[in-house]
Structure formats: C-alpha cells, structure tokens
Amino acid sequence: MQQAPNEARGLVWLASYPKSGNTWMRAFLTNYQRNSDKPADINHLDNGPIASARELFDDEVGVEASDLTLDEIDRLRPLVYTQYARSMETLEFLKIHDAYTLTSRGEPMIPPQATHATLYILRNPLDVAISYSHHSHCTIDQSIQFMADDDHSLVGSKRRLNNQLRQILLTWSGHVLSWVDAPNMKVHVVRYEDMKKDPFAAFGAVVRVVGLPYDEERLRKAIEFSSFDTLKKQEQEHGFREKMPMAESFFREGKSGGWRAKLTAEQVQAVVSAHAAVMRRFGYLDETGSPV
Amino acid sequence: MPDQPPYAYTAFGLNIQSEIPLPGLLPGAPPVALDATPVWVRQGETPTSLAQPQFSGVLYQTSEGEFLLTLENIARYWVRNGQEVIVQTFPNADEAAVTLFLLGSAFAALLHQRGVLALHSSGIVIERSGEKQAVLFAGRSGAGKSTLAAAFHQRGYPLLADDKCAIVLQDGRPIVYPGYPHLRLWQDAAKKLAVDTEALPPVRADLEKFSLPVEEQFHAAPLPLRAVYLLNTHNALEIEMTPVSGMNKFRQLLQNTFRQRFLDGLGMRPAHFQLASGVAKHVRVVRISRPMHPFLLDELADQILHDLEGSHAASAQ
C-alpha cells in the first residue's frame, strides 16, 4: 500500500489506569491499521506489550534492569523512550499504566519530545474497582483501598524479578490528573463509557487525533472487529496471554454501570469521597454529587 | 590468587589478566584455552565517548572493535578488539557494582568482538554413557535461567555457567566454554531453593539479589553442546514443551544472544549469523512455557530430563 507522503510517525501513548479499556483501544487501533477482512488476533496485537516491559528497557539501555535499583531504572526510562521513539518510521502505539511522574532528577519519565500523541483512556472508578478486583484477585474493598493509596504500584517487589518494571500508579485520581494535566503533553481523553455509548464518535475522534487517515467504512469495521463480544469470544476459544494467572478471564462483562448491582452503598461512598473532584470533572458525578 | 597484580583468572576459556581483583571469577589459567590471546583488564582513563560511534544506545556506544559503557556513579568500561577492557572507576563507587557490569555487559561486548556466540543462558552438565555434555537454559531476564540451573545443581548436576555461555564451533561442532562459578539468585528464588541468603553477598548494594558461589561441582572445561531449552512464562497452569526446528532454531539463537544489539555497531553481525546458523544445525532446541506462579521447578527439571532421555533414544535409532 502506498504511504501518504506526510503520514504521521512517532510514539503514541495509550495511557490508562489498569482495567479502563486500554486493551480494547489497542484492539481497535490494530484492526483499524490492518484494515483486514477478519478480526485481529488478541494475542498478536500490534505494537509490543507495554511500556514497562523489561525487555524493551534492557534492549535499549545495554545493561539489564535486573542489575539496577528502582531509582536508577526510573531515571533511565526517559532516555529509553527517547531512544525508542527515534527509530520509528510509522505510528507506534504503546500501552502504559504508569502514572505520569517525574524522576528523582525532576524529569518527566515520559518525555514530551519523544511523544507524537497521547490517548488517556478513562473509566468510571466505581466500575474500575470491580474490574480491578477480578484482575488482581482481591476483594472489592481492597481494590478500593489500592485506588485510594498514593503509594500503590504494580510489581513493586524488590525481592523478585517480574517481566515488567515497577509501575507507580498513585491514586486513581492522582493517575488521571498526572496524565491529563501533564505539562507540554497534548492529551486526548477518551472515556470508556463513550467508547461504549457512541463508538463511532469516540473512535473516530481517536483516528483523527493520532493522525491516521480517516475512513468511515474502515472505522465501522474496526469497531465491529474489536467489539467486546468478539474479544471475549477469542479469549474463550484461544485464551489471552495478558490475563493475570489467577484471574478467571480478562474480558469479563465489558459493561458500564455494573457498580449499581455490585457495590454496596458504603463502597460507593468510599470511592466517591476519595475521588469526587476528578469524578465530577469527567462527568461521573452530577451537580448534587451523586454518581451518574 | 597471587597477591600482586596482575591477577590471573579464567572464564569462557579466556586467559584473563586483571589489574583489579575480580572476586567470583575462577582463579588461574583455563584448563583448555579458547585461544592463546589473553584478555587484559586494566584501570585507567577512558574517553567520554567514542570518536566515531556506529551506534549509540542509552548507556553505550559501539564502533568496529570498540565498545564504551558508562554507568553513572559506578564506572566507565572501554572494551577494545576483544583483548582489553579499561575500567575507569568513579569516586565512591560500590566495588561489587563495578565488577557486576564488567562481568556483565562489558564482557558480553568482549565476547562479541572475539566472534564468540554469547548465549543468554545458564548451563549445566549431563553425563551419558561416560560422555559429558552441556545443556543450556536460555531466556530473557526473569525467565528463570538461574533458578533452574540452581535446581539442577542441587540435584548433583555440575554447573557450567550462569547467565551467559560462550559457544564456538570446533570441527563444525558447537562447544560450550564455561562461565562464572556462581549463581545469582533473587531473594524469592533463593527461598524456593531453600538457600539461606543471610551470609551471601548481594550482587551490589541495595539489591536483594545474591551471589551464591559454586565451589563444588563447577565444571571448568569446555563441553559439546547437547540442547538449548528456551524459557518463557505464560498464564496457563501447565508446562508446555515444544521442539523448535529449522530456521526457527537459528532465529531463537539470534534472539537469545546476550546483548545482541551490540553486534551491529561492532560490525560483528555477519560473523554472528554464520556462527549461529552453524550451531543451530547441531543442537536440539526446545521451547518451554511455564506458569509464572507457581514456578513448578521440580516438574520442570523432571520434564527436561525426560526430554533429554527421549531425544537421546530418538537420535540413537
């Protein structure tokens, strides 16, 4: 296929708190880019696994992260992404769950100059709490606590080696604000609920923002090929390698508003009181402060 | 170890003369040398960057015959022509860390410069009808190479190398030269193996990763390569073993070459291709997917022994 002379290239971040629709977005983008006659295999989506993958770091740096301290690793990560972005000849999408933080040197871990665009995928924290508990194999009360814990991180153990680097998440609110208000980063916010309610508008906007050629038929097809039912069916038939070992499945219900049936009034209250300001800002609370 | 420099050590069949003590290396000359040219480890000034780098990574630069690696607050390493490593230690550096990166990436570059296949793998020795052979466990950082090699060592199989092995072709056959006589284990891996880390030195300050010296049952001489097991993890609960054949064997050897990104800038890619394709012809390669948790360490060791048994029977027919 002939490439347009001014086709966009560079690194596009797919940033989100875990269980907020990131994989759905990756599935959509892969299907849109491939423009194939059948859905893309969820186990072979484009553009690498995740920004925190240990091997991405090791390859770019030249020594292994497993011989470095957590602080040294974080200080090198901006250089890793700068180096990684330098080699890109097309658009590359990279999923990331880290919050947008500064290293101990005061540099952003995700350098704006290495960034072509950023999509921040956001989901109602009341639903995230449920999904995150299934994913992490913990109770909903625990996941609510994690989401309110400023020190929460993924794979932060110093005693063992994981295939990913430590990812600082901050609180759920802290995570959202760290990205959407990051200086010098043009961040396009996509709400999970809008991807559900009006996929054509939500994904259409994404296509334009990242600089892919806009094509309605392609858009329709990519939305269908990345629908929740298609993804879930693929997982049931062939498994999904990004599922956590203890979780029953990765694609579970794919619903918005599941919290109404699953959370107790106390749990709703705990989430709302911890995250009211951010929830209000992104339309998850009405004027009276009640969840929408 | 003589108490005056240069200190003499051996690893990968090389004769290493060092101005600095390198604890953890086997002292003396190699029982069977890979070649006659010694390696010098010297202390001295290093350039801050190479004159004409072919490639610049985050912490390293490469050009033909030259490699430069800089670790802030630790040391800079200048590796030249497969014969010399000049180490410039930075003020107040942790000595263990200086040695760690010397024996890690700097020596990997040195092996590349010498045209040796440095496989990212740990190795053990199996014996069959009186003949000793090398079996390697390859994989990315965190795949379980050291843990598995340690489990075999506990079962009485001699250790050949941890983390990287040197492979060369001799009379067309792949031969493995031994690495360092220690196993590097994370705290939780040590616990799995019932190894007490209390008295063990950490590989460097601030890391809960320990160096377990292997004084007994370390095999110091080269051996023919029998098989390479590629370690991967998956989220299923079983161990899967899949033999790799044809071109894929070659591809896997490339992918599992230690710090293979260094090869291009060093101008060693073509030689490495040739070596890897020669090795691929004569080695059994099996891909293993194991659950991340639990590791299934004993089952895995049993299945590997079973596979070696079976493949031996098959090749004998």
Side-chain angles (χ1 to χ4, degrees):
Chain A
M1 196 175 71
Q2 187 131 22
Q3 296 210 331
N6 58 351
E7 190 157 333
R9 53 186 240 173
L11 190 47
V12 180
W13 299 103
L14 305 181
S16 75
Y17 200 85
K19 308 314 288 176
S20 299
N22 205 314
T23 303
W24 183 13
M25 182 60 80
R26 266 174 77 218
F28 165 77
L29 288 165
T30 300
N31 278 297
Y32 191 85
Q33 282 186 294
R34 288 189 192 166
N35 196 17
S36 160
D37 294 330
K38 55 175 197 296
D41 180 348
I42 53 170
N43 284 308
H44 294 94
L45 296 178
D46 287 345
N47 306 310
I50 188 159
S52 48
R54 186 170 286 282
E55 56 190 70
L56 192 157
F57 180 99
D58 290 357
D59 282 347
E60 298 292 347
V61 172
V63 302
E64 296 189 357
S66 72
D67 287 337
L68 300 174
T69 63
L70 293 177
D71 188 49
E72 285 170 333
I73 292 169
D74 283 350
R75 273 187 285 155
L76 288 168
R77 285 179 67 182
L79 300 170
V80 169
Y81 302 124
T82 303
Q83 180 83 14
Y84 185 63
R86 202 171 282 155
S87 61
M88 279 171 194
E89 283 164 14
T90 54
L91 274 186
E92 294 224 22
F93 298 91
L94 197 55
K95 162 174 153 178
I96 181 164
H97 287 323
D98 296 85
Y100 194 94
T101 57
L102 302 180
T103 68
S104 58
R105 279 214 188 92
E107 295 170 324
M109 203 173 67
I110 304 304
Q113 65 275 16
T115 300
H116 170 72
T118 303
L119 301 175
Y120 188 82
I121 304 138
L122 178 67
R123 186 182 186 185
N124 189 338
L126 293 163
D127 283 337
V128 173
I130 304 168
S131 192
Y132 197 41
S133 77
H134 286 276
H135 184 72
S136 312
H137 209 69
C138 66
T139 66
I140 290 178
D141 284 329
Q142 280 168 322
S143 75
I144 289 173
Q145 269 176 33
F146 289 148
M147 290 168 67
D149 178 0
D150 204 33
D151 289 328
H152 188 45
S153 65
L154 297 176
V155 293
S157 170
K158 291 184 180 180
R159 302 170 77 84
R160 69 168 71 96
L161 203 56
N162 190 284
N163 59 3
Q164 288 188 30
L165 305 174
R166 189 262 315 254
Q167 299 145 68
I168 293 174
L169 294 187
L170 308 177
T171 64
W172 177 84
S173 292
H175 192 279
V176 176
L177 296 175
S178 77
W179 278 98
V180 302
D181 294 338
N184 306 314
M185 295 283 283
K186 278 170 289 175
V187 180
H188 177 75
V189 178
V190 196
R191 293 195 331 157
Y192 182 96
E193 293 73 19
D194 297 331
M195 288 156 65
K196 212 87 242 160
K197 199 169 67 193
D198 189 355
F200 212 76
F203 288 113
V206 164
V207 167
R208 292 184 202 273
V209 163
V210 301
L212 286 168
Y214 185 88
D215 177 326
E216 281 196 5
E217 183 44 39
R218 213 166 137 182
L219 183 60
R220 189 169 292 122
K221 196 168 62 175
I223 289 169
E224 184 195 320
F225 285 172
S226 56
S227 72
F228 184 80
D229 290 343
T230 309
L231 301 180
K232 188 168 178 73
K233 187 156 162 270
Q234 280 195 32
E235 179 177 21
Q236 281 165 347
E237 285 168 6
H238 307 293
F240 183 38
R241 64 181 182 184
E242 290 177 37
K243 179 186 84 71
M244 297 294 274
M246 299 294 279
E248 262 180 47
S249 66
F250 186 93
F251 301 104
R252 226 170 28 84
E253 290 191 334
K255 278 202 311 210
S256 309
W259 62 272
R260 287 174 202 282
K262 298 256 168 61
L263 296 192
T264 65
E266 291 76 25
Q267 289 170 331
V268 172
Q269 187 47 41
V271 173
V272 170
S273 66
H275 305 294
V278 175
M279 287 180 76
R280 189 170 292 116
R281 177 169 164 189
F282 291 97
Y284 296 120
L285 292 182
D286 66 17
E287 298 80 13
T288 68
S290 305
V292 177
Chain B
M1 189 170 77
D3 50 13
Q4 291 288 324
Y7 305 106
Y9 301 101
T10 182
F12 312 113
L14 302 172
N15 219 312
I16 301 165
Q17 305 289 318
S18 178
E19 294 178 359
I20 44 178
L22 301 173
L25 278 199
L26 215 56
V32 182
L34 178 62
D35 60 37
T37 317
V39 172
W40 278 92
V41 178
R42 303 183 201 276
Q43 268 180 310
E45 291 287 308
T46 53
T48 51
S49 75
L50 294 181
Q52 285 179 305
Q54 288 296 302
F55 185 81
S56 297
V58 170
L59 295 182
Y60 71 96
Q61 293 185 318
T62 43
S63 67
E64 206 159 314
E66 281 189 282
F67 173 85
L68 190 70
L69 173 72
T70 308
L71 281 134
E72 211 185 340
N73 302 326
I74 300 172
R76 183 179 290 123
Y77 308 86
W78 188 20
V79 188
R80 303 204 294 176
N81 301 316
Q83 295 180 13
E84 184 180 51
V85 184
I86 298 172
V87 183
Q88 181 174 356
T89 306
F90 296 142
N92 307 320
D94 165 23
E95 274 175 39
V98 175
T99 311
L100 179 67
F101 297 105
L102 171 68
L103 301 186
S105 290
F107 263 69
L110 184 101
L111 292 173
H112 289 330
Q113 288 172 342
R114 287 201 169 219
V116 171
L117 176 60
L119 200 69
H120 199 182
S121 60
S122 298
I124 55 126
V125 181
I126 58 155
E127 191 168 345
R128 177 167 300 284
S129 355
E131 201 206 343
K132 292 191 169 78
Q133 294 176 315
V135 172
L136 306 183
F137 310 127
R140 301 295 309 219
S141 173
K145 301 179 290 295
S146 302
T147 309
L148 186 56
F152 271 95
H153 186 256
Q154 285 185 340
R155 289 186 182 202
Y157 295 86
L159 183 74
L160 194 59
D162 186 35
D163 208 40
K164 63 180 174 297
C165 296
I167 307 174
V168 293
L169 288 174
Q170 288 174 355
D171 301 323
R173 294 275 160 178
I175 304 293
V176 184
Y177 279 78
Y180 311 130
H182 58 228
L183 284 157
R184 300 193 317 168
L185 299 170
W186 286 87
Q187 176 57 46
D188 82 313
K191 198 174 154 200
K192 230 176 280 185
L193 294 155
V195 169
D196 183 6
T197 56
E198 194 77 16
L200 295 180
V203 297
R204 58 178 288 203
D206 308 326
L207 285 193
E208 289 197 54
K209 185 182 184 181
F210 300 91
S211 185
L212 173 67
V214 177
E215 280 146 11
E216 280 168 41
Q217 291 282 70
F218 180 77
H219 190 87
L223 287 177
L225 173 58
R226 170 70 192 286
V228 177
Y229 292 89
L230 308 163
L231 299 180
N232 295 276
T233 53
H234 63 175
N235 58 12
L237 294 171
E238 313 78 39
I239 295 168
E240 269 174 38
M241 294 180 73
T242 326
V244 177
S245 59
M247 272 298 284
N248 283 331
K249 283 206 278 188
F250 167 68
R251 233 173 261 139
Q252 287 293 344
L253 292 176
L254 295 191
Q255 270 177 27
N256 285 283
T257 294
F258 194 82
R259 308 270 71 90
Q260 59 102 2
R261 291 267 190 110
F262 295 173
L263 289 164
D264 296 296
L266 293 169
M268 293 305 288
R269 185 65 78 177
H272 179 261
F273 259 59
Q274 210 162 7
L275 177 53
S277 92
V279 172
K281 283 188 198 124
H282 296 288
V283 63
R284 177 172 176 79
V285 179
V286 178
R287 186 187 157 87
I288 293 176
S289 297
R290 64 156 177 99
M292 181 81 94
H293 307 291
F295 194 121
L296 302 181
L297 195 49
D298 277 325
E299 288 94 322
L300 188 52
D302 288 342
Q303 288 198 25
I304 287 169
L305 289 171
H306 183 76
D307 180 77
L308 285 165
E309 197 78 31
S311 63
H312 182 82
S315 64
Q317 279 170 3

